[in-house]
Amino acid sequence: MSKSARVWIVDDDRSIRWVLEKALNQAHFDTFTFESGDGVMRQLDKEQPDAIISDIRMPGINGLDLLEGIHNEYPDVPVIIMTAHSDLDSAVSSYQSGAFEYLPKPFDIDEAVELIKRAVTHSQERKAEKESSPSEPALVSTEIIGEAPAMQEVFRAIGRLSQSNITVLINGESGTGKELVARALHQHSPRKESPFIALNMAAIPKELMESELFGHEKGSFTGAGGQRHGRFEQANHGTLFLDEIGDMPSETQTRLLRVLADGEFYRVGGNTPVKVDVRIIAATHQNLEKLVHDGKFREDLFHRLNVIRVHLPKLAERREDIPRLTKHFLKKAADELAVEPKTLRPETEEFMSNLPWGGNVRQLENTCRWLTVMASGREIHVSDLPPELLDSHETAPTGSTWQEGLRIWADQELKLGKKNILDLAIPEFERIMIETALKHTGGRKRDASILLGWGRNTLTRKIKELGMESEDDEDDL
């Protein structure tokens, strides 16, 4: 961050202006103060600072009106709103008007300076980006994002199938994007001008599934007030995507098999055959071979569906795609909410790329929505991530050696803003070593001390310091 960064302070309280000015000067900022917001907009016409920190309640124009004017005319200038009257309405109004951050009084001066530093860094980085790449194109919106080798295999499969009407079975965990791949297969097929109809087997009650698939005639069952076309008829000449096919009841499996074999079916309660021309794409997160073996899925239907199989990798198997996916989802969420897209700090991007992502791409997309709403400022720090992603169980080191695991752990702790990490690491390291040595010696301290390379007295002292003593400890010789 440049030492000549310029910060404006707007507050009618002289003491607040004085304290902030002194603290910011010590942090090597140039400062300029205003007793009210009235002159700020006029001064902005002449020059723009790297950041502004402003009170809400002031004589003349109030802080929220000032914020709105700055955000509309000078959107690249981050504004921090501070107030002694902190309430829900003030906080909501501040963020809705485009505040970089909301700072309730009284505040810790060091925290205020750190927040201003974040705002200034964000401002300067945005300026640098615009100067270095003024015509940089926006992220290209594609059907499926993926540069990882596993995703390239999926793309190759879609390409090979682009001129085919063949049945496809998509395998992949929940949240990996199976429907997205099914839509891509349809869009790149000869049927692209015809309907794409999706039906999730797991979301349909068993008693309604046949009606959903094949339709029904008037009066065929209670509530059937008129004739209804099912998904097969709706998808005629197009593609029918059957998601979670492993959840289809056995009787419906039998009817589906007949349709695939004959190309015709009867509506529920009907006696006139209906002919259709439909391409089937099925998907499941389950092991269909095991379901067949267990008698829960028809083997003949399995072979009808399993003509071409496409496997979707877990997000953890395509980590190199996480930064680009995250950028895409942050932009998508910002567009949905009509706000400016947020960006990841480099350390946040690295941290997110190393998470396990048990919910796969869907979890990542939902996290980006959460961050768009909840993260403070426009740059996302590691500490801004949802608490469940910062949980120690999810971020446990996975290095192939203990040294690599320790390096990953230390790196993650420091990214989280932790300090004095040796105070935590060294006692835990010694505790694990002592416990393991005692396990190998059956609890004999003398032998354990030899394994550890310590003297007997050193081991006894360490056990006491670490609180590892128990009432049944025996002082073996």
Side-chain angles (χ1 to χ4, degrees):
M1 183 172 60
S2 170
K3 289 187 177 181
S4 60
R6 193 164 177 80
V7 178
W8 290 359
I9 304 165
V10 189
D11 199 310
D12 61 326
D13 188 325
R14 182 179 179 184
S15 61
I16 293 291
R17 296 199 307 271
W18 186 85
V19 168
L20 281 172
E21 188 173 20
K22 291 297 181 185
L24 290 171
N25 290 158
Q26 289 178 3
H28 307 294
F29 289 105
D30 288 338
T31 57
F32 193 79
T33 63
F34 297 81
E35 293 184 14
S36 71
D38 295 331
V40 175
M41 295 303 295
R42 291 194 298 272
Q43 190 64 26
L44 279 168
D45 290 336
K46 303 173 184 176
E47 59 174 327
Q48 288 84 52
D50 293 286
I52 296 174
I53 181 166
S54 172
D55 193 19
I56 283 186
R57 299 192 181 184
M58 300 178 293
I61 184 173
N62 67 51
L64 291 179
D65 290 339
L66 175 64
L67 167 63
E68 188 172 353
I70 295 172
H71 186 64
N72 289 336
E73 296 190 34
Y74 307 96
D76 290 339
V77 178
V79 180
I80 298 167
I81 288 293
M82 54 182 174
T83 178
H85 308 278
S86 54
D87 54 38
L88 178 60
D89 288 342
S90 296
V92 171
S93 298
S94 298
Y95 288 120
Q96 286 181 339
S97 298
F100 179 84
E101 189 54 280
Y102 175 80
L103 185 64
K105 297 177 182 177
F107 49 78
D108 181 271
I109 190 63
D110 291 333
E111 291 180 5
V113 170
E114 284 302 313
L115 183 57
I116 293 166
K117 286 181 179 179
R118 284 177 60 174
V120 168
T121 299
H122 170 78
S123 174
Q124 293 183 340
E125 287 177 352
R126 290 199 59 176
K127 289 177 183 177
E129 286 174 6
K130 288 186 175 181
E131 291 171 1
S132 62
S133 53
S135 59
E136 182 180 353
L139 180 68
V140 177
S141 176
T142 58
E143 291 173 319
I144 308 173
I145 292 173
E147 298 177 358
M151 286 306 296
Q152 292 300 312
E153 286 301 315
V154 174
F155 295 163
R156 289 189 190 99
I158 294 172
R160 293 188 188 106
L161 293 166
S162 62
Q163 300 304 315
S164 170
N165 289 313
I166 201 165
T167 302
V168 178
L169 177 62
I170 304 171
N171 267 118
E173 290 188 0
S174 295
T176 49
K178 295 187 288 293
E179 183 171 343
L180 200 61
V181 171
R183 288 184 181 276
L185 285 165
H186 172 75
Q187 289 298 324
H188 294 278
S189 78
R191 297 174 179 261
K192 63 183 178 181
E193 302 300 329
S194 299
F196 175 89
I197 303 296
L199 183 64
N200 188 324
M201 299 290 103
I204 305 298
K206 181 179 178 181
E207 60 273 13
L208 295 179
M209 191 167 288
E210 290 200 10
S211 174
E212 280 290 329
L213 281 169
F214 309 114
H216 60 251
E217 298 290 352
K218 180 179 180 180
S220 57
F221 57 86
T222 303
Q227 187 189 77
R228 180 182 182 276
H229 289 184
R231 302 304 174 96
F232 264 98
E233 283 181 87
Q234 295 171 23
N236 195 25
H237 302 300
T239 302
L240 178 59
F241 174 54
L242 300 177
D243 199 4
E244 299 304 346
I245 192 76
D247 290 316
M248 179 179 280
S250 57
E251 57 269 24
T252 311
Q253 292 178 31
T254 302
R255 289 204 63 183
L256 176 60
L257 182 63
R258 289 181 188 146
V259 178
L260 295 178
D262 304 333
E264 66 177 33
F265 60 88
Y266 293 87
R267 299 189 190 100
V268 176
N271 49 29
T272 303
V274 179
K275 294 194 72 69
V276 289
D277 171 23
V278 173
R279 180 194 194 182
I280 297 293
I281 299 177
T284 182
H285 73 281
Q286 301 181 70
N287 185 331
L288 285 188
E289 286 93 337
K290 186 176 186 305
L291 292 181
V292 169
H293 180 268
D294 295 342
K296 296 178 179 178
F297 200 85
R298 291 187 61 123
E299 185 173 6
D300 45 5
L301 177 59
F302 169 71
H303 290 301
R304 279 276 184 181
L305 297 173
N306 191 36
V307 180
I308 298 290
R309 187 180 297 209
V310 176
H311 173 72
L312 277 185
K314 298 184 293 186
L315 185 56
E317 294 171 351
R318 44 182 297 218
R319 296 187 182 279
E320 53 265 70
D321 290 335
I322 291 176
R324 191 156 179 255
L325 282 166
T326 304
K327 186 175 181 180
H328 170 74
F329 289 137
L330 285 172
K331 184 180 185 305
K332 181 180 176 183
D335 290 343
E336 290 172 357
L337 297 168
V339 297
E340 184 179 351
K342 296 192 176 183
T343 58
L344 298 181
R345 298 282 302 166
E347 62 271 17
T348 312
E349 182 178 288
E350 182 181 352
F351 184 88
M352 291 179 69
S353 296
N354 288 316
L355 291 173
W357 297 111
N360 295 297
V361 178
R362 185 182 295 123
Q363 183 188 7
L364 178 62
E365 181 174 10
N366 289 338
T367 297
C368 290
R369 286 198 181 99
W370 188 95
L371 289 168
T372 299
V373 175
M374 300 299 295
S376 60
R378 295 201 177 92
E379 283 192 321
I380 299 171
H381 293 241
V382 173
S383 58
D384 291 325
L385 296 175
E388 60 269 20
L389 295 187
L390 300 177
D391 183 82
S392 59
H393 297 293
E394 287 223 330
T395 57
T398 56
S400 58
T401 66
W402 69 268
Q403 293 98 329
E404 289 174 4
L406 179 61
R407 183 175 287 108
I408 293 170
W409 174 84
D411 189 48
Q412 291 178 348
E413 291 293 293
L414 293 174
K415 286 175 182 175
L416 287 170
K418 302 286 184 65
K419 298 178 181 178
N420 303 320
I421 61 173
L422 281 175
D423 292 346
L424 173 63
I426 292 176
E428 284 302 310
F429 176 80
E430 292 179 340
R431 184 190 306 276
I432 291 169
M433 296 296 285
I434 292 169
E435 288 175 346
T436 306
L438 288 171
K439 176 182 175 183
H440 279 264
T441 64
R444 294 186 301 276
K445 296 176 185 176
R446 180 180 57 189
D447 294 342
S449 67
I450 294 172
L451 294 180
L452 293 167
W454 281 343
R456 174 69 170 75
N457 292 337
T458 300
L459 177 59
T460 302
R461 176 172 55 81
K462 287 288 185 181
I463 289 174
K464 186 175 181 180
E465 289 175 355
L466 296 169
M468 298 174 65
E469 294 174 305
S470 61
E471 293 181 358
D472 58 352
D473 268 354
E474 294 184 2
D475 191 23
D476 57 287
L477 299 174

